[in-house]
Amino acid sequence: MQTAADAEDAATLLAAVPAGRRVALVDPRFVGHVHALRLGLTDPRFAAATVPGALTAQPEARGALLRALRRTTAAVGEGAPVVAPDTDPAPDDRTVPGRIAVTLEAEGTAVKRPELGSLTATVPTDAGARATAESARDEVDDEAVRLRSAVKAHDGFFTTFAISPYSRYIARWCARRGLTPNQVTTASLITALVAAGAAATGTRGGYVAAGILLLVSFVLDCTDGQLARYSLQYSTMGAWLDATFDRAKEYAYYAGLAIGAVRGGDDVWVLALGAMVLQACRHVVDFSFNEANHDAVANTSPTAALSDKLDSVGWTVWARRMIVLPIGERWAMIAVLTALTTPRIVFYALLIGCALAACYTTAGRLLRSLTRRASRTDRAARALADLADSGPLAQGVAAVAPGLRGAFTAPAVALLGTLVMIGGALFLPYGSWLTVAAAAVYVVLSGLAVARPLKGALDWLVPPFFRAAEYVTILVLAARSDSPHAVPAAFGLVSAVAYHHYDTVYRIRGGTGAPPQWLVRTIGGHEGRTALVAVLAAVLTHAAGFTTALTALAVAVALVVLVESIRFWVSSSAPAVHDEGELA
């Protein structure tokens, strides 16, 4: 830390700092909480950030900061206003850091201004103002504020009242011992995998241990995010781990339960895969709807207005959060039922609970879409096209087919294709080439559905229909085969494909777009994989051959998507995506 005599001296000192380091300017008259400065000056997610009396810039914004500082110095020296003459700057924008922040924004550099809430951050101009600021600062315990703000703002009932009251203190304990969120995330994954192993023993003691360990894993899962918010330790690697490990833990636990049930004489692999398919389809409904309306304008849905009114009544907020069976409630239910009942009952409860939650959330989204008047943007259409995961076959059809017009044409065509594909897998003789014909129809309809930009009111349904078609077809064909190991192989294949789809979601959320087209082409797209599985079922009439083919396909898809995903998320272009409000 160095003291500058004036703005010109500050520019000289900043220019001497090595280019790869963060720099900060703090007005020497600053009065406020340490955590207010921490929020403004140490959050790694933003290139530039400011709180009253302080400003920081990451290496990528250093050049803009120096230019703004020199311009500010010149303007003040000449007596010219630093901000536009027709503006009335806030008092804190008249400080040197505040003026520079305004100049940075005027020149096109985004400057983050974190919400401080009850925290104090100001630059008093006289003794009276300083005394008032110091009194306000001393009245608020910034450590208590820091602990409260470490907890996610919109968590579920179980997480809010059964986990967060103590997990925040675990997060602080970890921070004081130098532990990182990534280490806690890894510990949570390892604990969940041990829980899955305990469930796989198929014994009552193993089930009880599995339930307890699953809850411990969830406590650690809450702690890693709270630790990141408490210590502002955000990273691209942490974003990737947090975005993928929750699904890996849950699905590994499903597999452990299925293995344990088989050891006890009850084959529930179909239920395990069905629970995973239903959960993945629930998520893609959420993702697609949110992306379709991420930047929609003129939102006038009366359904949304009713939702806002219900949120003003306290008990309805918690009831609605519990109805959707978020991860906290879901894992608590799984843990308790594992310890007290059987894997079959666990999966029955999961399927019923997730089905009811899916009906509730999807119905609400349908009503909002049908009653709102909104114009959807090219960005939303691009995101839906990426979520659709169309491969070369569907893209080829879309390239030569005329775009079908109509407000609800795309989801109707996608739904028709889904029904044809699933119906063929369910009702046609297993191994029949008619199922392959149904897959060919599905390919054509999939291409027609995405031949025009997805800007219709219900076009966000297209990706969920495609997910259901692919996942359910794999499940049904594996279940109808004669091999006892086909469904576990299908479980692995759906897991690999689902990872690719979740990876796509988090890349889009980070603003970096979908995975590269070569990856989508290599793994075939949803329609290519679905058609391939139908062909394999028809060609490999020997049960062991179909199982082997599914296993090989699962391994191939997993290797390709994991290698590309890891390459991306550890690269400098990866976004720092952190979930601050998703319940499921």
Side-chain angles (χ1 to χ4, degrees):
M1 183 173 66
Q2 300 186 60
T3 301
D6 51 33
E8 185 176 355
D9 187 26
T12 302
L13 292 173
L14 288 176
V17 177
R21 298 176 63 179
R22 175 201 289 268
V23 295
L25 288 171
V26 181
D27 193 298
R29 299 167 296 170
F30 175 86
V31 173
H33 289 98
V34 173
H35 192 50
L37 279 178
R38 188 182 291 112
L39 289 171
L41 303 183
T42 65
D43 195 323
R45 294 174 295 177
F46 310 108
T50 186
V51 294
L55 172 72
T56 186
Q58 297 266 42
E60 59 267 30
R62 283 273 303 275
L65 172 63
L66 283 172
R67 289 192 299 272
L69 179 56
R70 291 186 176 115
R71 179 179 172 186
T72 300
T73 303
V76 172
E78 297 167 2
V82 176
V83 296
D86 58 346
T87 63
D88 182 18
D92 289 314
D93 285 343
R94 295 192 179 101
T95 65
V96 170
R99 287 170 171 172
I100 296 171
V102 171
T103 303
L104 281 172
E105 290 174 321
E107 294 181 349
T109 299
V111 180
K112 175 66 176 179
R113 299 173 184 268
E115 294 290 336
L116 298 181
S118 59
L119 296 175
T120 297
T122 188
V123 178
T125 56
D126 55 48
R130 172 171 288 275
T132 300
E134 290 175 344
S135 176
R137 178 195 61 194
D138 296 341
E139 289 176 359
V140 175
D141 182 352
D142 75 336
E143 178 60 20
V145 173
R146 188 182 181 188
L147 273 173
R148 285 197 304 271
S149 61
V151 177
K152 190 188 295 184
H154 303 290
D155 249 327
F157 182 88
F158 178 77
T159 304
T160 299
F161 294 104
I163 304 296
S164 293
Y166 59 87
S167 62
R168 69 185 74 181
Y169 295 101
I170 300 176
R172 182 172 66 180
W173 182 90
C174 293
R176 291 177 175 177
R177 283 152 183 81
L179 297 176
T180 67
N182 292 352
Q183 292 170 330
V184 178
T185 301
T186 303
S188 175
L189 174 66
I190 293 173
T191 304
L193 294 179
V194 173
T201 63
T203 64
R204 177 52 51 194
Y207 289 148
V208 172
I212 294 172
L213 288 170
L214 188 64
L215 289 177
V216 173
S217 174
F218 183 66
V219 171
L220 293 174
D221 183 56
C222 296
T223 300
D224 65 358
Q226 292 167 357
L227 174 58
R229 288 182 284 272
Y230 180 85
S231 57
L232 298 177
Q233 296 184 73
Y234 300 108
S235 67
T236 54
M237 176 62 76
W240 176 61
L241 296 177
D242 187 59
T244 57
F245 276 14
D246 279 351
R247 302 288 83 78
K249 289 180 287 189
E250 188 167 4
Y251 299 155
Y253 192 81
Y254 291 177
L257 280 176
I259 293 172
V262 169
R263 289 190 171 185
D266 187 14
D267 190 343
V268 296
W269 272 108
V270 170
L271 296 178
L273 181 50
M276 182 169 72
V277 168
L278 180 55
Q279 187 62 21
C281 289
R282 275 188 65 199
H283 280 148
V284 78
V285 167
D286 297 339
F287 298 146
S288 292
F289 179 81
N290 291 335
E291 287 302 324
N293 298 281
H294 176 75
D295 49 6
V297 296
N299 181 358
T300 56
S301 168
T303 308
L306 175 61
S307 178
D308 292 339
K309 288 182 180 179
L310 289 175
D311 282 343
S312 65
V313 182
W315 69 269
T316 66
V317 175
W318 296 116
R320 293 167 68 207
R321 291 185 187 178
M322 293 174 69
I323 288 172
V324 301
L325 203 64
I327 189 170
E329 276 75 358
R330 193 165 67 250
W331 282 28
M333 180 184 74
I334 294 171
V336 172
L337 291 179
T338 298
L340 300 179
T341 64
T342 65
R344 181 171 290 273
I345 293 177
V346 173
F347 287 124
Y348 281 153
L350 262 176
L351 288 167
I352 293 171
C354 288
L356 292 175
C359 290
Y360 170 78
T361 55
T362 304
R365 286 168 169 77
L366 285 170
L367 286 173
R368 291 191 184 200
S369 299
L370 292 172
T371 57
R372 73 170 17 131
R373 295 187 299 275
S375 298
R376 289 173 175 81
T377 64
D378 292 336
R379 177 202 177 279
R382 180 68 261 167
L384 290 180
D386 291 334
L387 288 173
D389 191 33
S390 299
L393 296 178
Q395 290 176 3
V397 172
V400 300
L404 298 176
R405 298 184 179 276
F408 309 117
T409 300
V413 172
L415 175 60
L416 178 60
T418 298
L419 293 176
V420 168
M421 187 66 255
I422 295 177
L426 271 173
F427 301 115
L428 292 173
Y430 175 78
S432 169
W433 283 96
L434 290 176
T435 305
V436 178
V441 173
Y442 174 66
V443 168
V444 173
L445 293 176
S446 297
L448 293 175
V450 296
R452 291 177 62 84
L454 298 175
K455 292 186 177 182
L458 297 180
D459 284 0
W460 55 271
L461 286 169
V462 171
F465 285 148
F466 289 163
R467 293 299 83 75
E470 180 180 4
Y471 296 168
V472 175
T473 297
I474 295 172
L475 166 61
V476 170
L477 291 178
R480 295 187 66 192
S481 71
D482 295 329
S483 172
H485 303 298
V487 180
F491 189 97
L493 176 57
V494 173
S495 298
V497 175
Y499 177 87
H500 164 62
H501 290 143
Y502 282 113
D503 186 53
T504 300
V505 166
Y506 284 102
R507 293 197 198 202
I508 293 173
R509 282 185 169 185
T512 59
Q517 271 299 301
W518 70 260
L519 175 66
V520 177
R521 289 193 297 268
T522 300
I523 61 176
H526 69 92
E527 80 291 349
R529 292 185 298 269
T530 305
L532 177 58
V533 172
V535 170
L536 291 174
V539 173
L540 302 174
T541 54
H542 190 274
F546 184 57
T547 299
T548 302
L550 286 181
T551 303
L553 183 58
V555 171
V557 171
L559 284 176
V560 174
V561 299
L562 279 172
V563 169
E564 162 56 22
S565 177
I566 293 171
R567 181 210 62 78
F568 171 77
W569 286 101
V570 301
S571 69
S572 59
S573 60
V577 182
H578 293 271
D579 174 20
E580 298 294 331
E582 180 189 344
L583 295 177

